[in-house]
Amino acid sequence: MRQQLSDQQHATVYQYRLTKRLVIKRELIQSHFIIIAIFLGFQLMAYGIQGLVAWFAGFAAIQLFHIVILLITFIRVEEATDRKWIWRINPPWIGFKPANDISLTLFRRVHRHLFWVGLCAIALLYPWIPASYMISLVSWHAWLIVPRLLLAFYFRKQPKEGVLRLQSFEASYYLI
């Protein structure tokens, strides 16, 4: 038997209002993949088979870096631990992304940490790894994080109270 909403004492009602939507065109996603293909071609021409190995190893290492940095960020940013993050390979959100809606402020903070701490961690490895691996790590890190940083830049003028929803080919911003 269903109760009226006014009769439920612990009911939570969310009324979101869509304020801005960004539809990501297929051409943009294709150009994003062309960039990584050009990067692979450069690695193969400059370093041969070592470049190919560095290309694959760089992707795996950056995914590992990102999960470690996200977990460390979640320790520092208390609200982030309440959210579930998943690994996806759906373009343009390749890598770890929020499984549900996330506040825009939290999204910006987490990805800002991810970008800068990731670059610093890669820079710390500079004296000990070959150039092909260094180029691979920096390129993969930038390639994976740039779509999210551009998204944060696109929604920069929106009020901080809203939530961001990432879907396959669009990002929507809702005000509560």
Side-chain angles (χ1 to χ4, degrees):
M1 182 168 148
R2 295 180 63 127
Q3 294 178 329
Q4 292 281 339
L5 189 58
S6 59
D7 296 336
Q8 296 179 13
Q9 293 179 359
H10 299 292
T12 304
V13 178
Y14 295 101
Q15 294 182 359
Y16 296 114
R17 181 176 43 116
L18 176 66
T19 59
K20 197 164 189 176
R21 174 174 285 155
L22 173 65
V23 177
I24 297 136
K25 297 181 181 172
R26 292 196 184 271
E27 294 85 13
L28 186 63
I29 293 172
Q30 290 169 351
S31 66
H32 193 60
F33 279 105
I34 288 171
I35 290 169
I36 206 64
I38 291 170
F39 164 61
L40 174 61
F42 169 76
Q43 285 282 71
L44 283 172
M45 285 188 332
Y47 300 106
I49 195 71
Q50 183 186 6
L52 180 66
V53 171
W55 192 75
F56 284 113
F59 180 75
I62 286 300
Q63 293 301 318
L64 183 65
F65 274 177
H66 283 189
I67 189 63
V68 168
I69 293 167
L70 282 172
L71 291 174
I72 291 170
T73 303
F74 293 164
I75 292 169
R76 181 164 163 10
V77 181
E78 295 83 24
E79 311 95 49
T81 57
D82 298 336
R83 301 291 179 186
K84 182 179 175 186
W85 288 65
I86 53 176
W87 190 83
R88 291 283 186 239
I89 197 144
N90 299 344
W93 321 121
I94 297 173
F96 293 96
K97 75 175 202 86
N100 302 319
D101 300 343
I102 185 170
S103 75
L104 184 59
T105 306
L106 181 59
F107 181 82
R108 285 180 184 157
R109 185 180 310 154
V110 167
H111 284 88
R112 191 173 43 241
H113 279 97
L114 187 61
F115 178 71
W116 287 113
V117 173
L119 277 181
C120 291
I122 293 168
L124 288 174
L125 296 174
Y126 175 70
W128 297 285
I129 61 173
S132 62
Y133 287 89
M134 187 68 182
I135 293 169
S136 181
L137 289 173
V138 170
S139 299
W140 275 116
H141 179 66
W143 188 81
L144 288 168
I145 204 80
V146 161
R148 295 168 187 161
L149 293 177
L150 289 175
L151 185 67
F153 180 75
Y154 181 78
F155 290 117
R156 74 189 178 282
K157 294 183 180 177
Q158 300 303 316
K160 295 179 181 180
E161 304 84 43
V163 294
L164 186 65
R165 179 177 295 159
L166 300 178
Q167 296 167 339
S168 293
F169 293 104
E170 70 179 36
S172 304
Y173 178 75
Y174 295 90
L175 271 178
I176 299 173

PDB file of all heavy atoms in Angstrom, residues 26-40:
ATOM      1  N   ARG A  26      30.253  13.489 -31.902  1.00  0.00           N
ATOM      2  CA  ARG A  26      31.099  12.352 -32.279  1.00  0.00           C
ATOM      3  C   ARG A  26      32.406  12.813 -32.923  1.00  0.00           C
ATOM      4  O   ARG A  26      33.435  12.163 -32.764  1.00  0.00           O
ATOM      5  CB  ARG A  26      30.348  11.427 -33.219  1.00  0.00           C
ATOM      6  CG  ARG A  26      29.195  10.720 -32.537  1.00  0.00           C
ATOM      7  CD  ARG A  26      28.719   9.545 -33.362  1.00  0.00           C
ATOM      8  NE  ARG A  26      27.560   8.940 -32.750  1.00  0.00           N
ATOM      9  CZ  ARG A  26      27.616   7.971 -31.849  1.00  0.00           C
ATOM     10  NH1 ARG A  26      28.785   7.534 -31.446  1.00  0.00           N
ATOM     11  NH2 ARG A  26      26.523   7.454 -31.339  1.00  0.00           N
ATOM     12  N   GLU A  27      32.367  13.926 -33.630  1.00  0.00           N
ATOM     13  CA  GLU A  27      33.580  14.431 -34.270  1.00  0.00           C
ATOM     14  C   GLU A  27      34.640  14.792 -33.220  1.00  0.00           C
ATOM     15  O   GLU A  27      35.830  14.584 -33.434  1.00  0.00           O
ATOM     16  CB  GLU A  27      33.277  15.664 -35.132  1.00  0.00           C
ATOM     17  CG  GLU A  27      32.404  15.384 -36.327  1.00  0.00           C
ATOM     18  CD  GLU A  27      30.916  15.408 -35.999  1.00  0.00           C
ATOM     19  OE1 GLU A  27      30.534  15.879 -34.905  1.00  0.00           O
ATOM     20  OE2 GLU A  27      30.131  14.941 -36.836  1.00  0.00           O
ATOM     21  N   LEU A  28      34.190  15.334 -32.105  1.00  0.00           N
ATOM     22  CA  LEU A  28      35.119  15.681 -31.029  1.00  0.00           C
ATOM     23  C   LEU A  28      35.747  14.423 -30.429  1.00  0.00           C
ATOM     24  O   LEU A  28      36.952  14.388 -30.160  1.00  0.00           O
ATOM     25  CB  LEU A  28      34.399  16.494 -29.954  1.00  0.00           C
ATOM     26  CG  LEU A  28      35.253  17.043 -28.832  1.00  0.00           C
ATOM     27  CD1 LEU A  28      36.276  18.028 -29.384  1.00  0.00           C
ATOM     28  CD2 LEU A  28      34.382  17.711 -27.795  1.00  0.00           C
ATOM     29  N   ILE A  29      34.955  13.398 -30.245  1.00  0.00           N
ATOM     30  CA  ILE A  29      35.465  12.136 -29.709  1.00  0.00           C
ATOM     31  C   ILE A  29      36.421  11.490 -30.704  1.00  0.00           C
ATOM     32  O   ILE A  29      37.488  10.989 -30.331  1.00  0.00           O
ATOM     33  CB  ILE A  29      34.308  11.196 -29.337  1.00  0.00           C
ATOM     34  CG1 ILE A  29      33.530  11.796 -28.165  1.00  0.00           C
ATOM     35  CG2 ILE A  29      34.811   9.804 -29.003  1.00  0.00           C
ATOM     36  CD1 ILE A  29      32.266  11.093 -27.824  1.00  0.00           C
ATOM     37  N   GLN A  30      36.067  11.538 -31.987  1.00  0.00           N
ATOM     38  CA  GLN A  30      36.958  10.976 -33.010  1.00  0.00           C
ATOM     39  C   GLN A  30      38.283  11.722 -33.046  1.00  0.00           C
ATOM     40  O   GLN A  30      39.346  11.105 -33.157  1.00  0.00           O
ATOM     41  CB  GLN A  30      36.277  11.018 -34.371  1.00  0.00           C
ATOM     42  CG  GLN A  30      35.131  10.041 -34.491  1.00  0.00           C
ATOM     43  CD  GLN A  30      34.298  10.264 -35.745  1.00  0.00           C
ATOM     44  OE1 GLN A  30      34.460  11.253 -36.450  1.00  0.00           O
ATOM     45  NE2 GLN A  30      33.393   9.324 -36.016  1.00  0.00           N
ATOM     46  N   SER A  31      38.247  13.037 -32.932  1.00  0.00           N
ATOM     47  CA  SER A  31      39.501  13.797 -32.936  1.00  0.00           C
ATOM     48  C   SER A  31      40.321  13.500 -31.682  1.00  0.00           C
ATOM     49  O   SER A  31      41.551  13.485 -31.733  1.00  0.00           O
ATOM     50  CB  SER A  31      39.229  15.296 -33.068  1.00  0.00           C
ATOM     51  OG  SER A  31      38.551  15.779 -31.935  1.00  0.00           O
ATOM     52  N   HIS A  32      39.643  13.242 -30.587  1.00  0.00           N
ATOM     53  CA  HIS A  32      40.337  12.869 -29.358  1.00  0.00           C
ATOM     54  C   HIS A  32      41.098  11.548 -29.561  1.00  0.00           C
ATOM     55  O   HIS A  32      42.238  11.399 -29.102  1.00  0.00           O
ATOM     56  CB  HIS A  32      39.318  12.766 -28.222  1.00  0.00           C
ATOM     57  CG  HIS A  32      39.910  12.697 -26.863  1.00  0.00           C
ATOM     58  ND1 HIS A  32      40.698  13.682 -26.344  1.00  0.00           N
ATOM     59  CD2 HIS A  32      39.822  11.740 -25.908  1.00  0.00           C
ATOM     60  CE1 HIS A  32      41.073  13.348 -25.120  1.00  0.00           C
ATOM     61  NE2 HIS A  32      40.557  12.169 -24.843  1.00  0.00           N
ATOM     62  N   PHE A  33      40.479  10.590 -30.244  1.00  0.00           N
ATOM     63  CA  PHE A  33      41.147   9.323 -30.523  1.00  0.00           C
ATOM     64  C   PHE A  33      42.237   9.469 -31.586  1.00  0.00           C
ATOM     65  O   PHE A  33      43.229   8.745 -31.554  1.00  0.00           O
ATOM     66  CB  PHE A  33      40.132   8.246 -30.923  1.00  0.00           C
ATOM     67  CG  PHE A  33      39.454   7.629 -29.740  1.00  0.00           C
ATOM     68  CD1 PHE A  33      38.151   7.949 -29.420  1.00  0.00           C
ATOM     69  CD2 PHE A  33      40.137   6.740 -28.928  1.00  0.00           C
ATOM     70  CE1 PHE A  33      37.535   7.398 -28.318  1.00  0.00           C
ATOM     71  CE2 PHE A  33      39.530   6.181 -27.826  1.00  0.00           C
ATOM     72  CZ  PHE A  33      38.222   6.511 -27.514  1.00  0.00           C
ATOM     73  N   ILE A  34      42.066  10.385 -32.509  1.00  0.00           N
ATOM     74  CA  ILE A  34      43.106  10.631 -33.502  1.00  0.00           C
ATOM     75  C   ILE A  34      44.364  11.162 -32.815  1.00  0.00           C
ATOM     76  O   ILE A  34      45.487  10.809 -33.191  1.00  0.00           O
ATOM     77  CB  ILE A  34      42.592  11.592 -34.597  1.00  0.00           C
ATOM     78  CG1 ILE A  34      41.583  10.850 -35.473  1.00  0.00           C
ATOM     79  CG2 ILE A  34      43.734  12.145 -35.437  1.00  0.00           C
ATOM     80  CD1 ILE A  34      40.847  11.729 -36.455  1.00  0.00           C
ATOM     81  N   ILE A  35      44.172  11.990 -31.794  1.00  0.00           N
ATOM     82  CA  ILE A  35      45.324  12.504 -31.044  1.00  0.00           C
ATOM     83  C   ILE A  35      46.130  11.361 -30.431  1.00  0.00           C
ATOM     84  O   ILE A  35      47.363  11.344 -30.506  1.00  0.00           O
ATOM     85  CB  ILE A  35      44.870  13.496 -29.956  1.00  0.00           C
ATOM     86  CG1 ILE A  35      44.361  14.782 -30.605  1.00  0.00           C
ATOM     87  CG2 ILE A  35      45.984  13.787 -28.961  1.00  0.00           C
ATOM     88  CD1 ILE A  35      43.658  15.717 -29.650  1.00  0.00           C
ATOM     89  N   ILE A  36      45.461  10.391 -29.850  1.00  0.00           N
ATOM     90  CA  ILE A  36      46.187   9.284 -29.232  1.00  0.00           C
ATOM     91  C   ILE A  36      46.816   8.382 -30.292  1.00  0.00           C
ATOM     92  O   ILE A  36      47.879   7.796 -30.068  1.00  0.00           O
ATOM     93  CB  ILE A  36      45.294   8.506 -28.230  1.00  0.00           C
ATOM     94  CG1 ILE A  36      46.140   7.816 -27.161  1.00  0.00           C
ATOM     95  CG2 ILE A  36      44.411   7.506 -28.894  1.00  0.00           C
ATOM     96  CD1 ILE A  36      46.905   8.723 -26.284  1.00  0.00           C
ATOM     97  N   ALA A  37      46.196   8.279 -31.467  1.00  0.00           N
ATOM     98  CA  ALA A  37      46.797   7.510 -32.559  1.00  0.00           C
ATOM     99  C   ALA A  37      48.056   8.214 -33.078  1.00  0.00           C
ATOM    100  O   ALA A  37      49.058   7.556 -33.388  1.00  0.00           O
ATOM    101  CB  ALA A  37      45.785   7.322 -33.686  1.00  0.00           C
ATOM    102  N   ILE A  38      48.017   9.537 -33.173  1.00  0.00           N
ATOM    103  CA  ILE A  38      49.208  10.297 -33.569  1.00  0.00           C
ATOM    104  C   ILE A  38      50.317  10.102 -32.542  1.00  0.00           C
ATOM    105  O   ILE A  38      51.488   9.931 -32.886  1.00  0.00           O
ATOM    106  CB  ILE A  38      48.852  11.787 -33.753  1.00  0.00           C
ATOM    107  CG1 ILE A  38      47.970  11.958 -34.981  1.00  0.00           C
ATOM    108  CG2 ILE A  38      50.100  12.645 -33.848  1.00  0.00           C
ATOM    109  CD1 ILE A  38      47.378  13.345 -35.115  1.00  0.00           C
ATOM    110  N   PHE A  39      49.932  10.098 -31.290  1.00  0.00           N
ATOM    111  CA  PHE A  39      50.905   9.861 -30.226  1.00  0.00           C
ATOM    112  C   PHE A  39      51.546   8.478 -30.357  1.00  0.00           C
ATOM    113  O   PHE A  39      52.757   8.327 -30.210  1.00  0.00           O
ATOM    114  CB  PHE A  39      50.220  10.036 -28.873  1.00  0.00           C
ATOM    115  CG  PHE A  39      50.971   9.467 -27.725  1.00  0.00           C
ATOM    116  CD1 PHE A  39      52.229   9.938 -27.402  1.00  0.00           C
ATOM    117  CD2 PHE A  39      50.429   8.455 -26.960  1.00  0.00           C
ATOM    118  CE1 PHE A  39      52.931   9.401 -26.347  1.00  0.00           C
ATOM    119  CE2 PHE A  39      51.122   7.923 -25.907  1.00  0.00           C
ATOM    120  CZ  PHE A  39      52.379   8.398 -25.599  1.00  0.00           C
ATOM    121  N   LEU A  40      50.743   7.464 -30.693  1.00  0.00           N
ATOM    122  CA  LEU A  40      51.286   6.122 -30.907  1.00  0.00           C
ATOM    123  C   LEU A  40      52.247   6.124 -32.094  1.00  0.00           C
ATOM    124  O   LEU A  40      53.332   5.525 -32.023  1.00  0.00           O
ATOM    125  CB  LEU A  40      50.162   5.110 -31.132  1.00  0.00           C
ATOM    126  CG  LEU A  40      50.607   3.696 -31.516  1.00  0.00           C
ATOM    127  CD1 LEU A  40      51.464   3.081 -30.432  1.00  0.00           C
ATOM    128  CD2 LEU A  40      49.404   2.837 -31.821  1.00  0.00           C
TER     129      LEU A  40
END
